[in-house]
Every structure is written in structure tokens, then in C-alpha cells.
């Protein structure tokens, strides 16, 4: 099946949502609120982006299902098609005025991701993929890195929102990895972490306790760039590790 039409719509909406975000970014008086705890923030830009994307999908595909971070499962949950949306991934960065934030839009068909877009508007980086069609950044084909030397790897991770109250907070992994690799980065946007792994900017990425909208589009982009995204834990929502199989053979044993 050709998924290009869906990718084009997802790209159009990601670019539109990105423009909305740039209007709010670093503006005085940006309105924000907290969600599950003080670490978890949502801004008016998250909500405006989500509305732009979900309105656009409802208009183009009125029978499709939608799962969006701020609104939940909002349409046609029995459809074979489901859009999975993080309207603004990296809200903590956004709220602080830091440029690593993105829009993430994926389309699933019968549970399999078939199109994905990650767009970082401030950086003007557009990552796209369709199932079987390859992965691209601003139109250039992507390929995961194949580094097998731990000492020269630059890796990325994140820390879960419940880290203050749950000792299962990834600090053990960070401690183990940081003494073995050239670098660890904490970008603050899981979607960008995956996209940068697809591009080979990161050799590998792992994180615990993510949600479907954090990883849906980015995972397809990694896979279409020749990489793998593996589940590393069953008991911590979506917990993933990403990279090429060559890199993961060396890096994977460090992560618990
Ligand atoms: C967060 C970012 C962050 C990751 C968090 C996510 P949000 O998403 O992807 O990098 O560490 O776990 O929840 O809240 O900014 O959409
Ligand atoms: Ca997110
Ligand atoms: Ca978000």
C-alpha cells in the first residue's frame, strides 16, 4: 500500500503546528500549568498545536481513530486506522526557551505504524518515514550509525516524570553508561532522540516509562533508517532502546 498521501497530510499538519509553536516560543507570558506533578508541564502552545493537528485529521479522515496526548482517545476507536499524536514533545524545553522541541505524528494501520513525522520547528528539521519507503530528514535519506566501539559512542536518554518518588528512575543505567561512552545527552524530546538516532547523530538511545505518542513516529523513522527499536522492560509503560543492530549488540547489555 502507498502511504505517501497520509505522510503528506501528517507533514502539512506538523509544519502548521510548528508555526503555531514558534509564535508562542520565548514569548512573554506563555501560559502553562502542571499535570501529574511539578515536573510535568503543559502550555497553551501544546493545546493549540494539538487542536490544529486533530482538526486537520478529522477533516481529512473523518472515520479514522485519534490518540492525542492532551485529549486522549478522541475519535473512532474501532477504526483500523489510528493517528498517534504528541503535539509538542519537549514541553519542558519549550517552556524554558530551549530549542529542542518537536511535533510528532504517526499513523497506525491495524496496529502497525505506516507513516511518521517528527518536526523540530525551531531547528527547521523535518524527519519523515513511511513503512517500506525509507526515512528522510529535510528530503535526505537517513541511515543509522553502525558504531561498535563503546568508547566513541554518543548516546541519549531521559529520566521519567516519577523519578522523585520511584527509585526505578534510570539513574543506575546512566551511571553505568556514563563511565563507558564518549557522551550521554539528555535532549528533552524523545521524538528528537529517536530521529537523531535514525540520522546517526546519536549512536543509541534508551528511555524508560514513555507513552505511545512519544515513540510512535520516531520508532518508524529509526526502523526505516535501518535501525531497531526494542522494548527493554514490560513493567514500565513504553521502555525502549534504539540503534543499529551492530551498535545494540555492544550497547544493549549496559541497560537494565
Ligand atoms: C517528554 C519528552 C522527554 C521525555 C519524557 C516525555 P513531553 O514528553 O519526550 O524527553 O524524557 O518522558 O514525557 O511531556 O515533553 O511531551
Ligand atoms: Ca512527549
Ligand atoms: Ca507532549
Amino acid at each position: 500500500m502507498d502511504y505517501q498521501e497520509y505522510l503528506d497530510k501528517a507533514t502539512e499538519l506538523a509544519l502548521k503546528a510548528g508555526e503555531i509553536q514558534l509564535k508562542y516560543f520565548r514569548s512573554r507570558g506563555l501560559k502553562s500549568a502542571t499535570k501529574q506533578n511539578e515536573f510535568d508541564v503543559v502550555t497553551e502552545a501544546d493545546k493549540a498545536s494539538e487542536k490544529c493537528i486533530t482538526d486537520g485529521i478529522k477533516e481529512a479522515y473523518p472515520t479514522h481513530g485519534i490518540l492525542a496526548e492532551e485529549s486522549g482517545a478522541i475519535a473512532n476507536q474501532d477504526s483500523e486506522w489510528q493517528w498517534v499524536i504528541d503535539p509538542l514533545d519537549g514541553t519542558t524545553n519549550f517552556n524554558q526557551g530551549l530549542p529542542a522541541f518537536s511535533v510528532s505524528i504517526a499513523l497506525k494501520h491495524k496496529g502497525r505504524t505506516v507513516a511518521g513525522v517528527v518536526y523540530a520547528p525551531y531547528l527547521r528539521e523535518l524527519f519523515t518515514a513511511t513503512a517500506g519507503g525509507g526515512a528522510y530528514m529535510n528530503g535526505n535519506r537517513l541511515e543509522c550509525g553502525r558504531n561498535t566501539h563503546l568508547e566513541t559512542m554518543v548516546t541519549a536518554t531521559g529520566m521519567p516524570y516519577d523519578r522523585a518518588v520511584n527509585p526505578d528512575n534510570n539513574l543506575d543505567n546512566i551511571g553505568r553508561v556514563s563511565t563507558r561512552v564518549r557522551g550521554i545527552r539528555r535532549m528533552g524530546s524523545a521524538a528528537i532522540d529517536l530521529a537523531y538516532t535514525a540520522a546517526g547523530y546519536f549512536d543509541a538511545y534508551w528511555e524508560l516509562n514513555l507513552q505511545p505518542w512519544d515513540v510512535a513516529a520516531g520508532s518508524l523513522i529509526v526502523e526505516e533508517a535501518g535501525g531497531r527499536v526494542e522494548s527493554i522492560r514490560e513493567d514500565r509503560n513504553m521502555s525502549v532502546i534504539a540503534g543499529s543492530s551492530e551498535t545494540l549488540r555492544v550497547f544493549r547489555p549496559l541497560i537494565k
Side-chain angles (χ1 to χ4, degrees), residues 35 41 46 69-70 85-91 102 213-214:
K35 297 204 280 186
V41 67
D46 296 67
E69 180 178 11
E70 309 306 336
I85 300 153
D86 191 334
L88 204 175
D89 187 54
T91 301
S102 60
W213 45 80
D214 297 316

